[in-house]
């Protein structure tokens, strides 16, 4: 799904899709798990103002004993009733940028800039960010509610 397709789907549910991140430093555990893990996930929204674009951000620490291939994220308004599944997340093409901490651990971040027009179309209230972590060995970890953020601007 392209960025435009993701937005089109969520706009029809009452909001624009936003996905994002800022880097989070370090990992909480000393060793990586045998199964993919998503930890310390957070989301934040900064509303646009004047000529300055806003941003919706998402960040997480991730780990797997085989290493990390990618972290896919999708944000959606909780009031929409959308119940994202792992299978649906497989079709989302919005991946965070991951920086390797070591062979097994990475910090991942994604930022999507938001215009005033896009923000005006977004549903106010609580938004949920779902995440799908894919490890190098093909292992996956789906976190349906990796983070939440409230849009109340």
């Amino acid at each position: 799904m392209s960025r435009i397709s993701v937005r089109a789907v969520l706009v029809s549910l009452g909001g624009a899709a936003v996905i994002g991140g800022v880097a989070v430093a370090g990992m909480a555990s000393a060793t990586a798990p045998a199964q993919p893990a998503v930890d310390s996930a957070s989301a934040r929204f900064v509303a646009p103002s004047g000529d300055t674009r806003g941003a919706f951000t998402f960040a997480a620490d991730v780990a797997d004993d085989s290493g990390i291939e990618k972290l896919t994220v999708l944000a959606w308004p909780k009031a929409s009733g959308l119940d994202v599944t792992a299978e649906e997340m497989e079709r989302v093409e919005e991946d965070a940028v991951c920086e390797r901490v070591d062979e097994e651990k990475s910090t991942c971040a994604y930022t999507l800039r938001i215009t005033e027009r896009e923000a005006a179309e977004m549903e106010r209230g609580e938004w949920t960010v779902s995440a799908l972590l894919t490890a190098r060995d093909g292992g996956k970890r789906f976190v349906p509610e990796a983070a939440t953020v409230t849009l109340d601007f």
Side-chain angles (χ1 to χ4, degrees):
M1 220 183 243
S2 71
R3 177 178 289 168
I4 293 171
S5 298
V6 170
R7 285 185 183 193
V9 167
L10 292 178
V11 166
S12 71
L13 294 171
V18 289
I19 305 147
V22 288
V24 175
M27 294 296 296
S29 64
T31 60
Q35 297 295 316
V38 177
D39 295 310
S40 303
S42 64
R44 185 178 144 186
F45 179 78
V46 176
S49 176
D51 292 337
T52 306
R53 285 185 172 214
F56 191 98
T57 61
F58 176 81
D61 295 330
V62 297
D64 185 74
D65 59 358
S66 71
I68 303 306
E69 181 179 319
K70 67 180 179 175
L71 179 67
T72 304
V73 294
L74 177 66
W76 45 276
K78 195 166 198 137
S80 71
L82 185 65
D83 188 14
V84 177
T85 66
E87 293 77 25
E88 291 167 329
M89 287 294 293
E90 295 274 352
R91 295 188 301 269
V92 173
E93 295 180 6
E94 295 294 336
D95 296 333
V97 174
C98 296
E99 293 189 25
R100 185 183 284 183
V101 173
D102 60 31
E103 289 298 313
E104 300 170 339
K105 303 172 191 173
S106 296
T107 58
C108 298
Y110 190 98
T111 299
L112 181 64
R113 299 291 178 200
I114 306 296
T115 66
E116 281 192 17
R117 181 173 168 232
E118 290 168 328
E121 295 173 359
M122 293 172 69
E123 185 173 316
R124 303 305 189 260
E126 189 173 38
W127 281 58
T128 299
V129 182
S130 298
L132 177 65
L133 176 62
T134 304
R136 285 192 188 134
D137 65 4
K140 295 183 189 276
R141 172 74 187 270
F142 174 58
V143 184
E145 238 180 87
T148 59
V149 64
T150 301
L151 277 62
D152 60 357
F153 57 101

